[in-house]
Amino acid sequence: MSKFINLIFYGFYQIDYIFEVRPYPHYNTRTGSVLFSLTVLIYTYSVVLLIVGGGAQCGFFNCLSSSTLEILFVITGFVVVLWWYYWLDKEKYKSSFEKLDKEPSSIRWVCFILALLWGIGGIVFLYGCIIYLHKQITF
């Protein structure tokens, strides 16, 4: 799982190279890490919405208000930020980045396209979860 996360993160890291000029061995991520953490937040919140929708369908929740969903979003965001802080603090990505930098440039393009698909997939997944939850609440 960590290898997959590092491949996606490396794809977002390529966005940093597009927007900013930085030295080759410098693995400080900025734009890519923000976009990556936002996509992780989107996927995590989508899963939370699916769980809440399933709970509403089974009768565990009588009424879902928008404030409840906002509180769930804040809690999910807090969990993702803690995980992200741990991931960056332990520098779990640096050794993978060093190996991927030695690969041909086609690998960089594959990781970049994978990161774009990951982001688009997160938005589509969130939209589907919102539609599902809306159907569960209205019926």
Side-chain angles (χ1 to χ4, degrees):
M1 183 66 170
S2 67
K3 185 173 181 172
F4 178 73
I5 291 172
N6 282 338
L7 286 175
I8 299 290
F9 188 32
Y10 187 75
F12 281 109
Y13 177 67
Q14 298 308 311
I15 295 171
D16 283 339
Y17 271 119
I18 291 171
F19 290 122
E20 298 178 23
V21 177
R22 57 184 75 207
Y24 173 71
H26 188 64
Y27 294 113
N28 186 13
T29 58
R30 293 181 184 143
T31 309
S33 64
V34 169
L35 292 174
F36 180 71
S37 61
L38 284 175
T39 57
V40 170
L41 178 66
I42 287 172
Y43 277 108
T44 308
Y45 188 62
S46 299
V47 169
V48 169
L49 285 179
L50 284 177
I51 292 170
V52 167
Q57 187 178 15
C58 293
F60 293 129
F61 306 110
N62 293 335
C63 178
L64 289 176
S65 65
S66 61
S67 62
T68 304
L69 295 176
E70 290 171 3
I71 290 170
L72 286 174
F73 183 75
V74 169
I75 292 170
T76 304
F78 183 71
V79 169
V80 168
V81 166
L82 284 178
W83 170 79
W84 189 238
Y85 180 74
Y86 169 76
W87 194 265
L88 290 178
D89 185 46
K90 297 295 182 181
E91 298 179 344
K92 294 183 174 293
Y93 62 94
K94 280 193 177 183
S95 62
S96 294
F97 280 18
E98 290 169 352
K99 290 177 188 173
L100 287 169
D101 279 340
K102 294 176 184 173
E103 297 289 326
S105 65
S106 61
I107 297 297
R108 292 184 189 118
W109 279 104
V110 168
C111 289
F112 179 71
I113 292 170
L114 185 64
L116 288 177
L117 292 175
W118 172 264
I120 293 169
I123 293 168
V124 170
F125 187 55
L126 179 63
Y127 179 74
C129 291
I130 289 171
I131 296 297
Y132 172 75
L133 187 61
H134 182 67
K135 286 181 182 179
Q136 294 299 327
I137 291 173
T138 57
F139 290 130

